[in-house]
């Protein structure tokens, strides 16, 4: 299942794992690749702590400062979209969503680092494919 429209730029796929297991697997994959995990934000935990009933939802923020810095040197405003993010949440099934980095080329003035956005896009697709395998 992939949903990606102009009004919703998320690429969304399903995971056979729970939200927490998907996030643990993603964290392991990122560590294996030497990619920095900057933050893991448990939206559901924060919501529950504030008195809300909420299904599991976790945001993982990660990246390679060398890659991101090159993009920000070319177009500082792209920093609003960096580092990369993957959201894992529960609906009737576990869903994984991300914004394809290639889309950023249309939103920010990136010319000389297009290849870098393509490599980031390939990384995101690869990570998500791995999360779809038990």
């Amino acid at each position: 299942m992939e949903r990606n429209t102009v009004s919703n730029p998320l690429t969304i796929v399903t995971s056979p794992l729970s939200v927490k297991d998907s996030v643990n697997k993603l964290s392991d994959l990122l560590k294996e690749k030497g990619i920095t995990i900057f933050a893991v934000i448990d939206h559901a935990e924060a919501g529950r702590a504030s008195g809300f009933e909420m299904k599991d939802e976790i945001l993982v923020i990660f990246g390679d400062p060398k890659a991101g810095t090159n993009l920000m040197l070319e177009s500082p405003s792209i920093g609003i979209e960096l580092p990369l993010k993957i959201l894992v949440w529960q609906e009737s099934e576990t869903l994984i969503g991300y914004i394809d980095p290639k889309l950023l080329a249309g939103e920010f003035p990136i010319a000389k680092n297009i290849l870098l956005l393509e490599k980031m896009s390939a990384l995101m697709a690869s990570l998500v494919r791995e999360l779809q395998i038990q």
Side-chain angles (χ1 to χ4, degrees):
M1 165 204 314
E2 270 196 46
R3 300 178 218 160
N4 188 302
T5 66
V6 174
S7 63
N8 180 7
L10 283 180
T11 297
I12 301 173
V13 299
T14 60
S15 171
L17 304 172
S18 69
V19 170
K20 290 184 181 180
D21 288 343
S22 294
V23 169
N24 288 338
K25 186 172 181 178
L26 174 59
S27 296
D28 291 344
L29 290 167
L30 292 168
K31 288 173 189 168
E32 286 172 17
K33 295 178 182 302
I35 297 171
T36 302
I37 299 171
F38 294 106
V40 175
I41 300 170
D42 190 330
H43 290 307
E45 183 179 292
R48 290 180 196 122
S50 296
F52 295 94
E53 287 298 317
M54 189 173 177
K55 292 181 181 179
D56 287 341
E57 183 171 339
I58 300 174
L59 179 68
V60 181
I61 302 171
F62 60 94
D64 178 347
K66 290 179 185 175
T69 301
N70 278 319
L71 289 166
M72 288 182 280
L73 287 170
E74 183 174 354
S75 177
S77 60
I78 200 169
I80 192 73
E81 296 294 342
L82 299 174
L84 298 173
K85 300 169 230 18
I86 290 180
L87 181 67
V88 185
W89 73 99
Q90 189 67 47
E91 286 189 12
S92 59
E93 55 199 342
T94 302
L95 299 174
I96 301 165
Y98 68 95
I99 295 175
D100 188 330
K102 286 190 297 190
L103 297 176
L104 299 178
E107 300 296 320
F108 299 92
I110 299 293
K112 63 182 179 181
N113 285 297
I114 293 292
L115 184 58
L116 186 51
L117 288 175
E118 290 174 6
K119 287 180 180 179
M120 292 167 114
S121 177
L123 169 69
M124 296 292 270
S126 170
L127 290 169
V128 168
R129 269 193 309 276
E130 292 272 348
L131 292 175
Q132 292 181 287
I133 302 167
Q134 271 193 335

